[in-house]
């Protein structure tokens, strides 16, 4: 494939006041490859809640007033490699890690500064160069649309349940809050690992989908506002082994009440509003709970996750709510913001 000279990409303009509504397609030069870089034709991009926060300038005060190329999660095809690159060739199907510099171990300030779609240009573009070390081969049976959902949502869920301290095992009980991208992957990975899954949502229709994906128990939190009591009832008063916590202030106290003594609460999202009760720290202490913030994951974890997916193809197929054309980027952001989706919102950048 000849190397293109131009690439269309989206930008969030500097000084924006209305979030993603000013998303603009521009044309830029395709960068000349450095020796250790790989040029990738981007086929599909999936959106995250983080993308909305960045668009509205609610993510990091240091990003205020900056022009940004949005998006962190992509899948695409290698079309050229730098002179020092080994291990990749034209035609390889790849994802870039959320932070291409986070290779293994814990995140650091340097690896987080290299995260895509913030201080570093994002992936909502037709062509992008990446450091070769930050790429991961996608599952053999996945389409580009499916693979684009992996770098943030899937890897965050995988890291939560398989990270340090208390990795999931068969027979565990897992509480999954909501039916967004991270939550759905958490449900699938938990069910694949032989755990019993309890899923919550405000929608009975979404809970039906959760049951089809492997949830054994479902709770509508609108109908059951004291859902933590229902979780304890299901677990005979013991509590769950793991909580995938995406709500934040509005759900954290209930999540800690739901976990067993010595269990884990994995803090991923800040979707809901509320105040912490004064005794929340006492409750954490009495539960001996491991409360761990999850900042996506490393290249090494990504590769391990791909192995899990390829070993369990029927149980780990990504749930994609809707696919938008590249020209309809603002509509894709609006659909994500509506929170009516189950699973992932994807933008098709180029044809598979």
């Amino acid at each position: 494939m000849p190397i293109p000279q131009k690439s269309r990409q989206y930008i969030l303009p500097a000084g924006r006041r209305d979030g993603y509504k000013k998303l603009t397609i521009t044309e830029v030069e395709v960068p000349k490859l450095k020796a250790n870089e790989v040029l990738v034709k981007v086929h599909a991009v999936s959106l995250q809640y983080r993308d909305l926060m960045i668009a509205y300038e609610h993510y990091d005060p240091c990003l205020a007033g900056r022009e940004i190329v949005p998006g962190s999660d992509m899948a695409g095809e290698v079309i050229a490699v730098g002179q020092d690159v080994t291990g990749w060739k034209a035609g390889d199907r790849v994802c870039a890690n959320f932070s291409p510099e986070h290779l293994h171990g814990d995140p650091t300030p340097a690896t987080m500064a290299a995260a895509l779609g913030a201080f570093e240009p994002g992936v909502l573009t037709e062509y992008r160069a990446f450091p070769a070390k930050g790429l991961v081969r996608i599952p053999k049976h996945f389409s580009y649309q499916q693979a684009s959902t992996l770098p943030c949502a899937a890897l965050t869920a995988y890291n939560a349940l398989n990270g340090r301290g208390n990795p999931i095992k068969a027979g565990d009980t897992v509480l999954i809050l909501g039916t967004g991208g991270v939550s759905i992957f958490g449900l699938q990975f938990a069910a694949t690992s032989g755990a019993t899954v309890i899923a919550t949502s405000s929608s009975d229709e979404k809970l039906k989908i959760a049951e089809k994906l492997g949830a054994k128990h479902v709770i509508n939190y609108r109908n059951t506002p004291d859902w933590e009591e229902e979780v304890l009832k299901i677990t005979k008063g013991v509590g769950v082994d793991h909580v995938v916590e995406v709500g934040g202030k509005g759900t954290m106290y209930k999540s800690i009440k739901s976990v067993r003594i010595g269990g884990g609460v994995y803090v991923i999202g800040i979707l809901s509003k509320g105040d912490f009760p004064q005794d929340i720290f006492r409750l954490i202490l009495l539960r001996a709970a491991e409360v761990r913030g999850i900042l996506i994951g490393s290249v090494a974890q990504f590769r391990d996750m791909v192995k899990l997916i390829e070993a369990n193809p029927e149980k780990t197929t990504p749930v994609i709510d809707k696919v938008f054309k590249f020209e309809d980027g603002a509509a894709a952001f609006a659909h994500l913001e509506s929170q009516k989706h189950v699973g992932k919102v994807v933008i098709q950048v180029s044809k598979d």
Side-chain angles (χ1 to χ4, degrees):
M1 179 185 295
I3 298 177
Q5 301 301 308
K6 301 284 187 179
S7 176
R8 292 187 304 161
Q9 69 180 26
Y10 272 101
I11 61 165
L12 289 164
R16 58 193 177 276
R17 295 180 179 273
D18 46 5
Y20 60 84
K21 296 178 180 65
K22 294 294 186 182
L23 267 172
T24 304
I25 297 177
T26 62
E27 189 173 78
V28 296
E29 298 283 339
V30 173
K32 187 172 293 186
L33 278 183
K34 297 177 182 177
N36 64 345
E37 288 184 333
V38 172
L39 184 63
V40 177
K41 179 181 181 180
V42 178
H43 282 262
V45 170
S46 70
L47 298 180
Q48 321 299 329
Y49 184 71
R50 171 183 181 261
D51 297 322
L52 283 174
M53 295 180 68
I54 290 172
Y56 282 111
E57 298 193 326
H58 295 162
Y59 184 70
D60 185 327
C62 294
L63 291 171
R66 288 175 177 252
E67 179 181 283
I68 290 172
V69 180
S72 59
D73 291 22
M74 56 69 67
E77 175 188 0
V78 173
I79 62 171
V81 300
Q83 63 183 20
D84 292 343
V85 172
T86 59
W88 298 114
K89 65 183 186 305
D92 285 342
R93 303 194 317 143
V94 298
C95 287
N97 198 42
F98 175 81
S99 170
E101 297 297 324
H102 187 188
L103 304 184
H104 49 75
D106 292 332
T108 67
T111 63
M112 292 314 299
L116 303 171
F119 294 102
E120 289 294 319
V123 298
L124 203 44
T125 181
E126 292 178 315
Y127 298 92
R128 195 189 189 287
F130 298 96
K133 63 185 179 182
L135 296 178
V136 176
R137 203 175 308 275
I138 70 176
K140 298 181 182 68
H141 60 292
F142 271 16
S143 68
Y144 286 115
Q145 291 179 5
Q146 291 171 327
S148 75
T149 69
L150 298 179
C152 184
L155 189 54
T156 297
Y158 181 86
N159 185 6
L161 294 173
N162 294 277
R164 63 172 132 175
N166 187 28
I168 192 171
K169 61 184 183 301
D172 283 356
T173 304
V174 181
L175 173 62
I176 303 289
L177 303 189
T179 54
V182 175
S183 299
I184 290 295
F185 272 116
L187 193 168
Q188 291 174 299
F189 291 153
T192 298
S193 299
T196 297
V197 178
I198 305 170
T200 73
S201 174
S202 61
S203 164
D204 288 336
E205 289 302 312
K206 291 180 178 180
L207 289 174
K208 289 178 183 177
I209 296 173
E211 288 181 308
K212 290 179 181 179
L213 293 172
K216 186 173 182 180
H217 306 278
V218 294
I219 303 171
N220 186 315
Y221 61 76
R222 288 198 191 279
N223 300 334
T224 310
D226 295 328
W227 49 264
E228 75 280 14
E229 300 298 334
E230 184 65 18
V231 171
L232 291 173
K233 180 179 177 182
I234 291 169
T235 59
K236 296 181 171 53
V238 174
V240 299
D241 298 285
H242 312 270
V243 182
V244 176
E245 164 56 63
V246 301
K249 283 187 176 182
T251 57
M252 188 64 164
Y253 187 76
K254 293 176 181 290
S255 290
I256 295 168
K257 290 189 73 173
S258 299
V259 77
R260 67 166 172 83
I261 294 175
V265 179
Y266 313 123
V267 183
I268 292 161
I270 48 175
L271 295 175
S272 62
K273 298 179 181 179
D275 295 317
F276 287 139
Q278 290 184 345
D279 66 339
I280 188 169
F281 297 107
R282 179 174 180 272
L283 181 62
I284 293 172
L285 180 61
L286 292 177
R287 285 288 199 217
E290 176 195 6
V291 179
R292 183 163 69 99
I294 308 296
L295 285 175
I296 321 298
S298 67
V299 169
Q301 288 176 310
F302 202 148
R303 289 172 178 158
D304 288 341
M305 180 183 71
V306 169
K307 293 177 184 177
L308 173 65
I309 290 170
E310 289 185 332
N312 299 274
E314 295 182 359
K315 295 181 179 180
T316 55
T317 300
V319 176
I320 296 176
D321 185 86
K322 192 170 182 178
V323 179
F324 290 82
K325 296 178 181 178
F326 182 70
E327 294 76 14
D328 296 331
F333 272 75
H335 187 62
L336 178 69
E337 186 178 36
S338 74
Q339 294 192 28
K340 295 179 180 178
H341 60 288
V342 176
K344 300 297 296 177
V345 177
V346 172
I347 296 173
Q348 183 75 36
V349 178
S350 58
K351 293 181 180 180
D352 285 8

